[in-house]
Every structure is written in structure tokens, then in C-alpha cells.
Amino acid sequence: VLTQSPATLSLSPGERATFSCRASESVFSYLAWFQQKPGQAPRLLIYDASNRATGIPARFSGSGSGTDFTLTISSLEPEDFAVYYCQQRYKWPPVTFGQGTRLEIK
Amino acid sequence: EVQMLESGGGLVQPGGSLRLSCAASGFTFTTYAMTWVRQAPGKGLEWVSSIADSNDGRTFYADSVKGRFTISRDVSKSTLFLQMSSLRVEDTAVYYCAKAGTGTDMVFHSWGPGTLVTVSS
């Protein structure tokens, strides 16, 4: 089970955003992060805990291993306000997702 | 450019069947695993099913759809399918297909825009 916190994050453009994803047992580094905007498909941001996907800006970074993971956006841009999901692929099936964190404009 | 485009969604009665398609382009379809992920209205993401690359061919299902859904691929048409039967109200969702990695590597690199399935009487 993946548990994301907080459920909602209220921040302003230019601020730093930190998202947490905790696994109920170790998933090693087999964790990914996705961004989803309303009416759109999810977009892969980070895979294997810390590798940025193709075309993802450097302000997005991931860290962690085992059971505790963090996604950081160093300085929020207006287009970053969305829902963020973590996903593990270590012990599958099933592939599992966290319940999501909504990033809203303060 | 990698692209996926889902089709086949619509309104179906409980107990009915539907076949979703996902037309893929921009990559060697046989080399990659493919996946279906769904999202119920206002809810989070739920993995549904995956098929390994063509060298492997294994299929995998979430418990919630096992025995009711079948994933397959037509390599000649670079198309992924999801045959859904015995549909339930709780299967109502947007269904996304996603390109995964090689073998059975479940990194979902690219996604289609999704197709909406509504199960209702």
C-alpha cells in the first residue's frame, strides 16, 4: 500500500513543494511519480525514485528508497498546480498507485 | 513521436460487454509491454491489466477484473485491446492505455488521452 501526504498542498508560485509517498513495505527504488491535470492523462515525471523522465524540467526531483519517498518541486510555476501520484512496480501484480496529493494555488 | 489513442468506450448496461482499442505509433510495438489503467470519476488511478512484450507475451490482471477482462495485442496493426465482459457499475471509468518498458518493466512512460466507459442501466 502506498500512502501519500498531505492530501492537499496549498502554495504560491515560486514556493517549494514537497510531496511524500510512504510504502507499507520496501519497494526498493521501484517508485515513480506522475502529474495529472484536469481532463488530461497522467504524465510520468520521475521513475526509479530519482530519474527524471524525458522532457521533465530540472525543478522536479525525486529522492528516497525503501519505504519513504519524496517528490520536490524547487520553485513552483503556474502550470505545476495539479494532482500528483506515486506508483510502485517492485511487487506486482498488482501495480499500485498512491491516492494522490492535490497541489492548489494559495 | 510516441502516441497512443484509445477508442471503443461508451454506455453499456450492467452485465454487458465492450472492447477497447488503443492504436499505438512512434515506437516498435512488439518491443514494449503495454498496460491499461483506469480512473473512476473523481477518483485516483487504478491499474487494470498489462501484457508483456511480444517475446514474453504474459498477461496480468487486477483481482477486480480477473476472469472478466482480457488484454491482447495485434502486432500487425500496432493495436492493444481490452475485452471487457460481465461489466459492473463499478467499472465506470476513463480507461487509459500506456506504453511501459521492455519485457515486463512497468514504468508507464507514455499515455493515451483515455476513453470513457459508463456502465449504467
Side-chain angles (χ1 to χ4, degrees), chain B residues 71-90:
Chain B
I71 190 171
S72 62
R73 66 165 92 204
D74 182 337
V75 298
S76 67
K77 296 180 180 177
S78 295
T79 300
L80 178 73
F81 299 104
L82 186 68
Q83 177 68 47
M84 304 186 295
S85 61
S86 302
L87 282 161
R88 305 167 180 168
V89 170
E90 55 265 35

Side-chain angles (χ1 to χ4, degrees), chain B residues 28-39:
Chain B
T28 304
F29 186 65
T30 54
T31 304
Y32 294 91
M34 298 293 293
T35 287
W36 290 97
V37 173
R38 69 185 180 184
Q39 187 169 37

